[in-house]
Amino acid sequence: MQLHISPSMRSITISSSNEFIDLMKIKVAARHISYRTLFHTILILAFLLPFVFILTAVVTLEGVNKCSSFDCFGRRLGPRLLGRIDDSERLVRDFYKILNEVSTQEIPDGLKLPDSFSQLVSDMKNNHYDAKTFALVLRAMVEKFERDIRESKFAELMNKHFAASSIPKGIHCLSLRLTDEYSSNAHARRQLPSPELLSVLSDNAYHHFVLATDNILAASVVVSSAVQSSSKPEKIVFHVITDKKTYAGMHSWFALNSVAPAIVEVKSVHQFDWLTRENVPVLEAVESHNSIRNYYHGNHIAGANLSETTPRTFASKLQSRSPKYISLLNHLRIYLPELFPNLDKVVFLDDDIVIQRDLSPLWDIDLNGKVNGAVETCRGEDVWVMSKRLRNYFNFSHPLIAKHLDPEECAWAYGMNIFDLRTWRKTNIRETYHSWLKENLKSNLTMWKLGTLPPALIAFKGHVQPIDSSWHMLGLGYQSNTNLENAKKAAVIHYNGQSKPWLEIGFEHLRPFWTKYVNYSNDFIKNCHILE
């Protein structure tokens, strides 16, 4: 290190010994600094600078992480003056390089992995891991945890599927007790409706609702919510259709729990003369075909490549394999014109809905010559629920689907539909429905897999009149982030999805919309501990 003082004493330069680098240059203003002050300044700098550079070198070599302000000054200023990189930057760069190297290496068989991060740190200390070994063990741990989380998610989805497909003990109890009541209590067997009101069942001056279900509790909520929300309950007629095993219990409930002035009729599918094997051959095949029954009731994991399936896709596939999709009750709506030959217009309701507003204005909606008044599901605030197009329901790699359908066409929803039966009878909707069901059976269910809506989307093509979405809000059975304010305003809310409100897997914050209409004072409800 050399010290140069200009002849004019107006500049001082401190440079390295090779004279190529000027470490410090001081310009002196002649009129403002004395020679004595200058001399003292030079002595101080000459004394301090070697210590600064020595200290910087020591701190850098020792890799001290915590330092005093003076230490840090030397550590940070020195390397920059000498054109060197900070240790922390070098460390990150080196570690990133090591991670890249181990990302392509095979993880050794039998490599013992720590169960936690603290154990990993302990193993590093005890086994003196180098950086590469540490990175390899860390990678193996992360991959193992990812596999465990993925397996847990699929197990959760399977358990949820089984829970959604099962009958809760309380609801099973309710059905059994009401069936027993039907056999022992004459009042539970009384005619519904009473003989003097039978003519109302085919009177088009009334508002006719059709509900097909084998769930007594769900049916009670649908009927109660409709009556309590109506401005004209005396105009309401409910046609409740159930299966043979549930008929006695369903009849008992509505015989013992009047909803007057509304009228309720309860019928079983076996009481409709029109529903014969000759008229529903395809549905008979669906229910009895071994491969079809195995698809809906068999092992849902077998044959599924879970390593290439996302949990959301797997959940969708499980939902499409719900046993309810091969139930005659679920297909019944396609036969409404034949089941109710004297009615001109009906509103068909699913059993997982709640009615919150008067629905009588539905009968005043002009369907413009169409058969089906329905809410479209391709537009709306909730982009998950309201983003359904035909591509979401059909396999467009199948040549018949690709030929006849447009993947971007908007879908519509079942759950609350206005059907003009008089116009329907002039169409071939039922025949089209049967025809496409046969084609899907022949193709081994490769055209679509999700229940009754896909064939209806084809059969009703050109026969759907969109209605305002405020009439029917969907997704409360799978969208936990449902907008509560929108739900309160909707005329009908629909718990479509696995998380039904009567199940323990239902969303707690959405359940009150439904439980509001459960009669908890009823002895049968109390004795069966329904949603206790």
Side-chain angles (χ1 to χ4, degrees), residues 70-367:
F70 187 71
D71 290 339
C72 289
F73 174 78
R75 183 181 177 188
R76 294 170 183 171
L77 180 62
R80 279 166 173 74
L81 289 173
L82 298 175
R84 291 164 55 187
I85 300 174
D86 190 359
D87 276 356
S88 60
E89 296 176 11
R90 183 186 295 110
L91 181 62
V92 171
R93 190 173 61 186
D94 290 345
F95 191 61
Y96 182 71
K97 182 179 179 182
I98 292 170
L99 288 176
N100 275 336
E101 289 177 4
V102 302
S103 65
T104 57
Q105 288 185 7
E106 289 286 337
I107 296 176
D109 294 332
L111 179 64
K112 187 177 180 181
L113 298 177
D115 294 326
S116 63
F117 181 76
S118 59
Q119 188 180 339
L120 173 63
V121 174
S122 177
D123 288 352
M124 280 183 62
K125 183 178 179 181
N126 297 332
N127 300 327
H128 305 291
Y129 285 168
D130 58 19
K132 194 169 185 179
T133 304
F134 167 75
L136 189 64
V137 172
L138 185 63
R139 176 196 157 197
M141 284 181 66
V142 171
E143 291 181 356
K144 178 181 180 297
F145 291 151
E146 286 178 346
R147 288 193 300 271
D148 291 345
I149 292 170
R150 187 179 178 83
E151 289 173 4
S152 298
K153 185 63 178 177
F154 284 121
E156 177 193 352
L157 291 172
M158 280 301 303
N159 291 334
K160 190 173 183 180
H161 173 72
F162 293 137
S165 303
S166 64
I167 301 173
K169 185 170 71 172
I171 292 179
H172 183 59
C173 164
L174 183 65
S175 181
L176 290 177
R177 285 178 177 266
L178 286 168
T179 299
D180 181 64
E181 192 73 11
Y182 184 84
S183 63
S184 61
N185 185 345
H187 188 60
R189 296 192 301 272
R190 70 183 179 87
Q191 185 175 347
L192 290 178
S194 55
E196 66 272 14
L197 296 175
L198 287 177
S199 61
V200 173
L201 298 180
S202 56
D203 189 341
N204 285 296
Y206 286 78
H207 298 151
H208 294 268
F209 294 90
V210 180
L211 172 65
T213 179
D214 60 356
N215 187 327
I216 298 171
L217 184 64
S220 73
V221 169
V222 173
V223 174
S224 295
S225 65
V227 174
Q228 291 182 39
S229 302
S230 176
S231 62
K232 301 175 182 177
E234 69 279 0
K235 300 285 287 183
I236 290 178
V237 178
F238 258 97
H239 304 268
V240 180
I241 306 173
T242 190
D243 56 17
K244 194 171 184 177
K245 65 178 175 56
T246 314
Y247 171 74
M250 189 75 75
H251 190 282
S252 291
W253 176 267
F254 288 105
L256 298 173
N257 298 277
S258 173
V259 291
I263 296 168
V264 177
E265 173 195 33
V266 179
K267 291 187 76 172
S268 169
V269 289
H270 72 279
Q271 294 174 323
F272 287 93
D273 296 333
W274 188 88
L275 286 175
T276 63
R277 290 189 178 185
E278 290 73 24
N279 288 328
V280 290
V282 176
L283 299 185
E284 180 69 22
V286 167
E287 287 193 305
S288 61
H289 199 288
N290 286 335
S291 63
I292 303 302
R293 292 188 65 81
N294 183 62
Y295 176 81
Y296 286 99
H297 293 280
N299 187 344
H300 300 325
I301 296 291
N305 188 355
L306 298 184
S307 63
E308 297 180 2
T309 303
T310 64
R312 185 168 177 176
T313 302
F314 185 65
S316 178
K317 289 180 179 179
L318 285 178
Q319 186 177 343
S320 72
R321 295 175 76 162
S322 172
K324 72 176 185 178
Y325 291 128
I326 58 174
S327 164
L328 178 59
L329 285 175
N330 207 42
H331 291 267
L332 207 61
R333 70 198 86 197
I334 204 67
Y335 306 114
L336 290 176
E338 290 75 27
L339 299 182
F340 301 97
N342 298 317
L343 295 182
D344 294 338
K345 185 178 283 188
V346 300
V347 169
F348 191 93
L349 301 171
D350 281 359
D351 64 359
D352 53 355
I353 62 104
V354 173
I355 298 165
Q356 305 183 121
R357 212 165 72 207
D358 180 26
L359 297 187
S360 56
L362 289 175
W363 272 261
D364 299 325
I365 293 178
D366 185 2
L367 297 182

Side-chain angles (χ1 to χ4, degrees), residues 411-466:
W412 48 268
Y414 266 154
M416 196 281 292
N417 303 82
I418 318 157
F419 289 119
D420 185 334
L421 301 186
R422 188 165 50 183
T423 303
W424 189 340
R425 295 184 186 100
K426 301 174 185 177
T427 70
N428 62 345
I429 288 173
R430 175 166 57 89
E431 291 75 16
T432 303
Y433 188 90
H434 280 176
S435 173
W436 280 92
L437 273 179
K438 289 178 182 177
E439 289 294 337
N440 196 32
L441 286 173
K442 285 195 296 185
S443 69
N444 198 26
L445 301 181
T446 57
M447 297 168 72
W448 71 80
K449 297 186 184 298
L450 187 59
T452 55
L453 182 57
L457 291 172
I458 301 175
F460 283 100
K461 186 177 175 61
H463 299 289
V464 178
Q465 173 63 36

